[in-house]
Amino acid sequence: MTNHILMYIFIFCLLFIICILAYKVRKLSKIIKKAKDSYRFSFEILDNLPYPITVKDIQNDFQYYYWNKESAIQSGISSEDAIGHTDYEIYGEERGGKYRSVDKALVKEGKIYRSEDKYITPDGVEHDTITVKSFTSWKGQQKWLIATRWEITQLKNYERELVAAKEELERALNKQKLALKSIDFGLIYIDKDFRVQWEETTRITNLVKGRNYIPGRICYQTSAHRDKPCEQCAFQKAINQGKIIRHTIRIGKVDFEVTATPVFGNDEKEIIGGLLRFEDITEKLKLNRMLQEAKEKAEESNRLKSAFLANMSHEIRTPLNAIVGFSEMVCQTEEEEERQEFIKIISSNNELLLQLIDDILDLSKIEAGTMEFTFAPTDINEAMDGICRQMQEKNISPDVEIIFAEKADKCIINTDRIRLSQVIINFTNNAMKFTKKGSIQMGYRIDEAIGEIYFYVKDTGIGIPEEKLDKVFERFVKLDSFAKGTGLGLAICRVIVERLHGVIGVESKEGEGSCFWFKIPAQEMIVK
C-alpha cells in the first residue's frame, strides 16, 4: 500500500515537472520567435535604408557579416559575394590594405572614424561621401565594426559652386576696390540717417588730415567734428529735395567740389541714402584764375597796343614836325641868332625823337624777352659822376642844381653798367621835367650786412599825388599830359631793376618833391 502511494506521488510530481517544463519551453519558444522577428525586422530596416551599411566581424579577420541592399547597389557587389569575405578578397591588396589599416587603427584607438572619401560606382561615376565607422562590444570584447556611408556629391557640388561664386565675387570686389582707389576723387555712400555704409576717400584723406568718413559712424561727426549737419550740408539738401546738389568748399588750402546724389529704393520713390562725391578742384580753380588773368592780360595787351599806337603816332609826329618845320626855317632865315635858336630846337627834338625810338626798341625787346644784360665789374662812382656831369650839361634851368650827393670812397660791383645808368638817367630826366627850382640829388648807400646797394634820385619838384603813386611804373602813365615823353621810361626801369634781381619804388609828397629809388644785390662788391 505504501509503495503504491509513493508511486502515485512520484508520478504526480513527474507530471507536474513535465507541465512546468512544457510551459517554460512554450514561453521560451515565444521569446525566441519574438527575438527572431525583431532581428528580422531590424535587418529589414537596415536593408532598406537609402545609404550603405556594412558590418564586419572583428574577431574573424574583419570578414563582412552584413551587407545591405544599398551597399550592393552602390558597389556593384552582392551580399552573397561580400558576406564571409575580407576587404583583401573583395577589393585587392592596395584598396583592401587601405581599408584594413583604417579598421585596425580604429579598433586600437577605440575612436569613431569619420572622413570624406571618394569612390567610383560601376557606372564610372565618381561620388563624394562621408564614411563613419564605429565598433560594438560583445561580452566585454570588441565584436562588430559597423560602417555607414552618406552620399554628399550634390552637397560638394553646391559647395564647389559656392566657393567658385565666392572667389568670383571676391575678384569682382577687389577689381571694384582697385577701380575706386584709382579715381582722383572721394566717393562715400551714406544712408538717410547720415550713417556711412562704405567709402573710398584715400585721395582726400591724404589732402585733409583729421577729417575722415568711417563706415558705421555718423558722417558729420567724423568728417566735420560737428554734433549735427551744417546748414549748407549738400547731402542733407539732396535727400530732402530729392535732387543732385553741388557746391564748393575750402578746407585748409584745398578747394573741393561736393556733389550729393540721392539714391532711391526699388520703388524709385523712397530715398534710402545718397552718394557723396568730393573732387579736389584746387588746380582747376587755379587754372581758371590763370586763364582769367591771361584773358585780362590779353585784353590789357590789346588796350595797351591800341594806346601805344595812338600815343606813339602822336609822340613821334610832334618832334618830327618840329624837326621838319624848323629845318625849313633854318634854310630860310638869314639872322644868325634865329638860326642858332632854330638849330637848338631841332637838336632838342632830335634828342627827344631818339629817346622815343630807344624806348620803343626797349619795349619791343621786353615784349619779345630778348633784352640782353652784360655783367662786368663796374665802378659805381665813375658811372654816377659821368651821369651827373651829363645831366648838368643838359640842365637849362639856372634855378635847379644837380649834384652827386652821397657815395662811398670806392665801390665796384659786378653788374650791367649800361642798364644801371639807364635807370638813373631816366629818374634824373623825369626829375628835370618837373623841378623848376631847388635841387636834384643823386646818390647811393651800401648795406654790407645784407650785400645790397640803395640808389636814389631825389628832387624838389611838384611831387606826385598819393592816388597816382601805385601807377607811375605802369606803361603809358604820364603825370602831365603836356610833358614830353611816351610814359614808357619808368615801366622800362621797373623791368630792368627786376632783371637785376632788385626792387624799385618811389616816395613823394605833392608840392614838396619826389624820391625815386631802387635796390639791387651787390655781387662781388668791393667797397672802401
Side-chain angles (χ1 to χ4, degrees):
M1 184 71 179
T2 303
N3 291 332
H4 286 289
I5 293 172
L6 291 172
M7 184 180 295
Y8 289 138
I9 293 172
F10 175 76
I11 292 171
F12 176 79
C13 289
L14 184 62
L15 289 173
F16 180 76
I17 292 171
I18 291 172
C19 289
I20 291 174
L21 289 174
Y23 174 77
K24 292 288 186 179
V25 169
R26 184 178 180 186
K27 187 176 179 180
L28 183 61
S29 297
K30 288 182 178 180
I31 291 172
I32 292 172
K33 184 177 183 301
K34 187 176 180 180
K36 287 182 177 180
D37 290 341
S38 178
Y39 177 81
R40 189 181 302 109
F41 178 71
S42 297
F43 272 86
E44 284 180 358
I45 291 175
L46 293 176
D47 226 25
N48 290 284
L49 287 175
Y51 48 84
I53 297 177
T54 60
V55 178
K56 295 178 183 179
D57 187 344
I58 298 174
Q59 295 178 350
N60 195 14
D61 196 28
F62 292 94
Q63 290 182 2
Y64 281 98
Y65 179 79
Y66 178 74
W67 188 277
N68 75 343
K69 291 180 181 179
E70 192 64 27
S71 296
I73 293 172
Q74 291 193 16
S75 66
I77 301 172
S78 66
S79 60
E80 291 79 4
D81 293 333
I83 294 174
H85 298 279
T86 65
D87 288 318
Y88 290 110
E89 295 170 335
I90 296 172
Y91 300 112
E93 288 294 328
E94 183 178 353
R95 186 174 173 184
K98 177 182 176 183
Y99 290 161
R100 178 61 63 88
S101 64
V102 171
D103 294 344
K104 285 185 175 181
L106 171 64
V107 171
K108 182 179 180 180
E109 295 176 5
K111 296 180 180 179
I112 294 176
Y113 171 84
R114 183 184 180 90
S115 174
E116 289 188 12
D117 297 318
K118 290 181 181 290
Y119 79 95
I120 300 175
T121 54
D123 58 3
V125 178
E126 185 178 73
H127 298 263
D128 292 288
T129 64
I130 293 179
T131 301
V132 178
K133 293 183 178 182
S134 61
F135 61 87
T136 60
S137 299
W138 178 262
K139 294 182 179 182
Q141 293 184 345
Q142 296 170 339
K143 179 63 175 176
W144 310 112
L145 184 65
I146 303 171
T148 59
R149 179 182 289 124
W150 286 276
E151 174 81 16
I152 60 169
T153 304
Q154 191 62 45
L155 291 175
K156 295 299 289 185
N157 288 337
Y158 289 152
E159 181 182 335
R160 285 187 281 268
E161 290 174 4
L162 286 173
V163 170
K166 177 175 177 289
E167 291 175 351
E168 183 64 27
L169 179 60
E170 288 176 347
R171 285 193 293 270
L173 289 174
N174 187 52
K175 290 178 181 178
Q176 183 184 41
K177 288 180 180 179
L178 292 175
L180 288 174
K181 284 183 179 297
S182 67
I183 61 178
D184 60 353
F185 55 82
L187 197 62
I188 309 104
Y189 176 66
I190 307 171
D191 65 23
K192 63 181 180 180
D193 296 322
F194 295 89
R195 194 172 298 279
V196 177
Q197 300 301 309
W198 59 262
E199 57 80 30
E200 179 48 57
T201 55
T202 304
R203 299 294 179 90
I204 64 172
T205 301
N206 293 335
L207 293 172
V208 184
K209 302 297 183 183
R211 300 171 69 95
N212 303 306
Y213 287 88
I214 303 173
R217 299 284 298 276
I218 302 300
C219 62
Y220 52 77
Q221 292 177 352
T222 58
S223 66
H225 308 297
R226 298 175 62 92
D227 295 329
K228 60 181 181 180
C230 65
E231 295 178 357
Q232 301 301 319
C233 177
F235 177 77
Q236 186 176 43
K237 290 182 179 180
I239 61 176
N240 288 340
Q241 300 176 21
K243 63 180 183 180
I244 297 175
I245 300 296
R246 286 188 180 89
H247 68 215
T248 58
I249 60 173
R250 185 172 182 82
I251 303 174
K253 297 182 179 180
V254 184
D255 294 294
F256 289 103
E257 181 182 68
V258 182
T259 303
T261 305
V263 175
F264 293 86
N266 292 330
D267 58 1
E268 297 187 357
K269 293 180 180 179
E270 181 186 1
I271 295 176
I272 60 175
L275 279 174
L276 204 57
R277 182 180 186 271
F278 282 81
E279 182 179 2
D280 177 12
I281 58 171
T282 307
E283 290 300 320
K284 181 180 178 181
L285 292 181
K286 182 180 178 180
L287 180 60
N288 287 342
R289 287 192 292 269
M290 291 173 62
L291 290 174
Q292 181 62 30
E293 290 174 1
K295 177 176 176 291
E296 292 173 356
K297 286 181 179 179
E299 292 173 348
E300 178 67 9
S301 178
N302 286 333
R303 186 189 67 79
L304 291 175
K305 187 182 294 184
S306 299
F308 174 77
L309 292 174
N311 196 54
M312 287 304 99
S313 62
H314 170 74
E315 295 295 339
I316 292 175
R317 190 181 297 114
T318 300
L320 278 177
N321 287 338
I323 292 170
V324 172
F326 282 100
S327 295
E328 292 179 356
M329 293 176 67
V330 167
C331 295
Q332 294 174 1
T333 185
E334 294 181 356
E335 294 185 9
E336 186 61 25
E337 186 176 348
E338 284 187 349
R339 184 187 294 273
Q340 291 300 321
E341 183 65 28
F342 294 157
I343 291 173
K344 188 175 182 181
I345 293 172
I346 292 171
S347 177
S348 175
N349 280 278
N350 278 337
E351 185 179 340
L352 177 58
L353 183 59
L354 182 60
Q355 183 61 47
L356 288 173
I357 293 172
D358 286 341
D359 286 348
I360 293 170
L361 291 175
D362 282 340
L363 182 63
S364 66
K365 290 178 181 179
I366 290 171
E367 292 290 346
T370 58
M371 178 177 276
E372 295 180 355
F373 285 76
T374 303
F375 288 82
T378 301
D379 189 326
I380 299 300
N381 287 341
E382 180 184 341
M384 295 284 284
D385 278 330
I387 294 170
C388 185
R389 286 194 299 271
Q390 179 184 344
M391 293 297 103
Q392 288 171 345
E393 292 174 2
K394 186 178 179 180
N395 181 29
I396 59 174
S397 176
D399 296 326
V400 177
E401 183 182 15
I402 300 175
I403 56 175
F404 183 13
E406 186 176 3
K407 62 181 177 180
D409 291 340
K410 184 177 182 180
C411 179
I412 299 175
I413 64 172
N414 190 41
T415 189
D416 188 317
R417 176 171 183 160
I418 295 175
R419 297 302 180 188
L420 184 71
S421 300
Q422 184 177 348
V423 176
I424 297 171
I425 290 171
N426 194 287
F427 283 177
T428 309
N429 279 332
N430 283 341
M432 291 170 62
K433 290 179 186 177
F434 301 106
T435 303
K436 304 302 180 185
K437 186 176 181 180
S439 65
I440 298 173
Q441 299 180 17
M442 64 181 69
Y444 67 91
R445 292 193 291 271
I446 301 170
D447 189 337
E448 294 186 41
I450 59 176
E452 187 176 76
I453 301 182
Y454 171 86
F455 292 91
Y456 66 90
V457 174
K458 184 177 181 181
D459 63 61
T460 57
I462 61 174
I464 303 170
E466 185 176 354
E467 66 274 11
K468 293 185 178 181
L469 281 175
D470 294 336
K471 299 179 180 179
V472 294
F473 294 105
E474 294 180 6
R475 297 178 185 179
F476 308 118
V477 173
K478 297 174 66 175
L479 300 179
D480 184 353
S481 58
F482 295 101
K484 295 180 180 180
T486 61
L488 294 173
L490 290 176
I492 294 171
C493 289
R494 175 177 59 81
V495 174
I496 291 173
V497 172
E498 289 174 354
R499 290 288 300 276
L500 293 173
H501 308 293
V503 292
I504 193 169
V506 60
E507 298 166 2
S508 182
K509 190 171 183 180
E510 195 171 6
E512 295 184 7
S514 304
C515 178
F516 283 83
W517 57 268
F518 65 94
K519 300 176 184 177
I520 61 171
Q523 300 176 352
E524 302 177 15
M525 179 172 59
I526 301 174
V527 297
K528 185 177 180 180

